[in-house]
Amino acid sequence: MEEKQPSLLHKTSRIISDFFNPLLSLFIFFVYMSFLKYSLKEAITSFLPILIIVIAPVIIWLVWNVKTGRYTNMDVSNRVQRKTLYIFIAASVISYIGFNYFRNGQIDFVMLFILILLFALQISNYFIKSSMHTAFNIFVAALFFALNTTMGIIWLGIAILVGITRIILKRHTPKEVFMGAGIAFIVSFLYLYCNIQFQH
């Protein structure tokens, strides 16, 4: 019997979903922020610790766990498997916050709210497997919005599109996507509110 080929919609959804995964979306934001706020040398010294302490270890952790069979896939679709992923990402983010505090004498505001978002998603995971793809892309939209309104609106559109792809690919139910979006909107609102307060 001939195997059914994925439809164009399914293939397009997979490309969008894979490209705008939480790590790459955050990577794009950090690169954008670094080069917007700093000189080339400052941007490299600002972004490199994030890459070394957070992004690279999480990628290595994901690849290693998929290869050893602990995770079913790179999306970590299994709710039980997600628990260790949340813990590892949180540990990486806390390590970076500690490093940045000792280096610069202040807490990285963006990373602090990424940690808050992670904890909220971890708590939600005990009840419902919230969409990390949707949640992180909505939060990234808020991060962009704080720097550039147009970029924030564009990324919010991307976040909605990503949420739809997660349903099409059957990685999440509509309820799980809405839960991830709801959590992210609350954390994003708090981030933007605090960001405005600290600027004044």
Side-chain angles (χ1 to χ4, degrees), residues 46-63:
S46 168
F47 178 68
L48 214 55
I50 296 170
L51 186 65
I52 294 167
I53 300 170
V54 181
I55 297 172
V58 172
I59 291 169
I60 292 163
W61 175 265
L62 281 166
V63 171

Side-chain angles (χ1 to χ4, degrees), residues 43-193:
I44 290 166
T45 55
S46 168
F47 178 68
L48 214 55
I50 296 170
L51 186 65
I52 294 167
I53 300 170
V54 181
I55 297 172
V58 172
I59 291 169
I60 292 163
W61 175 265
L62 281 166
V63 171
W64 179 71
N65 276 285
V66 170
K67 284 202 169 197
T68 56
R70 289 179 178 89
Y71 293 164
T72 313
N73 51 46
M74 290 289 283
D75 286 345
V76 195
S77 301
N78 184 293
R79 197 167 131 196
V80 176
Q81 293 171 2
R82 277 196 172 193
K83 290 176 185 175
T84 55
L85 176 64
Y86 284 128
I87 292 164
F88 186 82
I89 298 171
S92 300
V93 172
I94 290 165
S95 298
Y96 174 78
I97 290 170
F99 165 82
N100 187 68
Y101 182 78
F102 285 112
R103 189 178 73 161
N104 300 318
Q106 59 186 20
I107 290 171
D108 188 302
F109 198 59
V110 171
M111 282 296 186
L112 177 64
F113 272 86
I114 287 172
L115 190 62
I116 291 166
L117 179 60
L118 276 167
F119 280 131
L121 289 169
Q122 173 73 302
I123 292 163
S124 164
N125 193 55
Y126 286 105
F127 309 99
I128 182 170
K129 186 185 74 174
S130 305
S131 171
M132 277 181 77
H133 276 67
T134 309
F136 270 90
N137 276 290
I138 287 171
F139 184 66
V140 168
L143 296 177
F144 273 118
F145 192 84
L147 299 176
N148 182 306
T149 309
T150 307
M151 278 296 292
I153 293 165
I154 289 168
W155 211 276
L156 183 59
I158 289 168
I160 293 165
L161 192 60
V162 168
I164 293 166
T165 67
R166 304 305 288 165
I167 297 165
I168 291 167
L169 295 169
K170 295 192 165 113
R171 292 294 169 92
H172 287 284
T173 64
K175 188 179 174 183
E176 291 168 350
V177 167
F178 279 114
M179 179 62 90
I183 290 167
F185 271 116
I186 293 165
V187 175
S188 297
F189 175 80
L190 289 170
Y191 168 77
L192 290 170
Y193 176 79

Side-chain angles (χ1 to χ4, degrees), residues 23-38:
L23 280 174
L24 191 56
S25 295
L26 283 168
F27 178 87
I28 292 166
F29 167 75
F30 282 123
V31 170
Y32 177 85
M33 181 190 73
S34 297
F35 286 97
L36 185 74
K37 285 187 162 186
Y38 310 115

